[in-house]
Amino acid sequence: MGPPRQTPGTDHAALREHRAHPRAFHENRYVYAVLSRRSGGISIGVNLNPDKRCNFDCIYCQVDRRCMPPPEPVNLEQLRDELEGVLAAAARGDLYAEARFRDLPPPLRQVRDIALSGDGEPTQCTRFERVAEVVTELAARHATPPLPVVLITNATGLNRSRVVRGVDRIMAGGGAIWAKLDAGTAERYARICGHRVPFRKVLDNLAATARRHPVTLQTCLFNLEGSPPPDGEIDAYAKQLAKILANDGQILGIQLYTVARKPAESCVTALDASTLDAIAARIGAALPTVPLHVYP
Ligand code: SF4
């Protein structure tokens, strides 16, 4: 394996400086636009959980859940209108005149993808399959070639039939799955993500999905109570991924990053770049065929 590599063709200094990911965009409820380090430019986000519901309790989560709106189903018509509006603004160039984007260097002032993500877990959305249809249709209608639709997920709902069908639709349109895996053992997983969904279920869902479609893993690494993840934890993590590969799973790459903004709990602090690189080298040695993308 070569050294951990970055996404090519991006201005990383500008991306590192851009830590804010506000999901408020004009009067929109579902659709927003942010500069995304991992997308290498502007990502149009579709927040499927404006009610902030999530089945994880990540200790580094940025979503403020002190005030919870009432649960509500996604309004597909409104979502469609908002997405059409932002895509049209990108096509006209108005989007790039927004204060948050206008000073970006030209390579970053481009819409790179549409991400299903938000203030909770998108696969919990009861209308996920219809959302996937609407978003992939608009992604194809408003851009040539179609903008990739990226599902950003904690993997817990990937076994649901409506999600399986929606994922198939996204992937048929040239999309991608970015699935979170932050630990290699059940103990650390529970400490980081909470106890509501068994670690085994996450691993089984990842393995089954990776047999059907290539999956990119997203792994957030950080100091917990002042200490980085121990070597044994990193080795266990690499072994979990090796098992997925050994069972005919496809792992397109791993995105390794640390916390960029103030986390939910003060026991979480960012790793320095050299520690992140050392962990990446350890993972790379164990998984030499899997590309690593490191975001310090
Ligand atoms: S899965 Fe995402 S939204 Fe849910 S608690 Fe974790 S970081 Fe927050």
Side-chain angles (χ1 to χ4, degrees), residues 35-257:
L35 179 64
S36 163
R37 292 197 300 164
R38 278 158 264 168
S39 296
I42 296 170
S43 178
I44 296 177
V46 180
N47 181 3
L48 297 187
N49 310 89
D51 62 9
K52 303 187 189 179
R53 262 61 183 180
C54 189
N55 55 357
F56 270 14
D57 298 299
C58 298
I59 56 177
Y60 59 80
C61 188
Q62 303 292 317
V63 178
D64 181 356
R65 297 195 169 88
R66 286 172 298 185
C67 171
M68 296 288 286
E72 60 166 59
V74 165
N75 181 326
L76 271 168
E77 286 309 307
Q78 185 176 349
L79 187 155
R80 174 193 283 274
D81 288 348
E82 290 181 5
L83 184 54
E84 287 206 289
V86 175
L87 288 167
R92 289 191 307 269
D94 300 354
L95 183 69
Y96 308 115
E98 296 272 336
R100 65 180 83 182
F101 301 134
R102 66 180 163 229
D103 295 328
L104 292 175
L108 297 179
R109 291 174 77 234
Q110 290 181 41
V111 174
R112 299 286 183 185
D113 58 34
I114 301 173
L116 302 185
S117 177
D119 290 337
E121 168 50 30
T123 62
Q124 288 192 297
C125 171
T126 54
R127 296 180 177 169
F128 184 85
E129 185 180 3
R130 280 290 294 135
V131 168
E133 287 170 8
V134 166
V135 173
T136 51
E137 178 210 321
L138 293 181
R141 192 192 309 158
H142 285 268
T144 308
L147 283 169
V149 177
V150 180
L151 170 62
I152 301 179
T153 176
N154 65 19
T156 54
L158 289 173
N159 61 318
R160 292 185 175 136
S161 52
R162 66 171 181 264
V163 176
V164 170
R165 291 191 297 271
V167 165
D168 286 349
R169 181 74 180 231
I170 288 168
M171 298 306 284
I177 305 161
W178 292 1
K180 164 192 181 70
L181 184 67
D182 291 335
T185 63
E187 294 72 28
R188 191 171 177 91
Y189 160 83
R191 177 76 178 88
I192 293 174
C193 303
H195 295 82
R196 282 194 272 171
V197 184
F199 190 41
R200 185 74 261 158
K201 179 171 183 179
V202 171
L203 294 173
D204 288 348
N205 283 357
L206 285 175
T209 304
R211 276 196 294 275
R212 298 172 55 250
H213 301 291
V215 171
T216 295
L217 290 166
Q218 296 196 308
T219 299
C220 186
L221 299 163
F222 46 83
N223 295 308
L224 193 49
E225 313 284 5
S227 300
D231 287 350
E233 181 62 34
I234 298 301
D235 294 345
Y237 165 89
K239 273 188 192 151
Q240 301 291 6
L241 300 195
K243 276 190 226 163
I244 292 175
L245 293 172
N247 283 296
D248 297 325
Q250 306 166 72
I251 299 177
L252 207 55
I254 305 174
Q255 300 175 352
L256 296 174
Y257 53 97

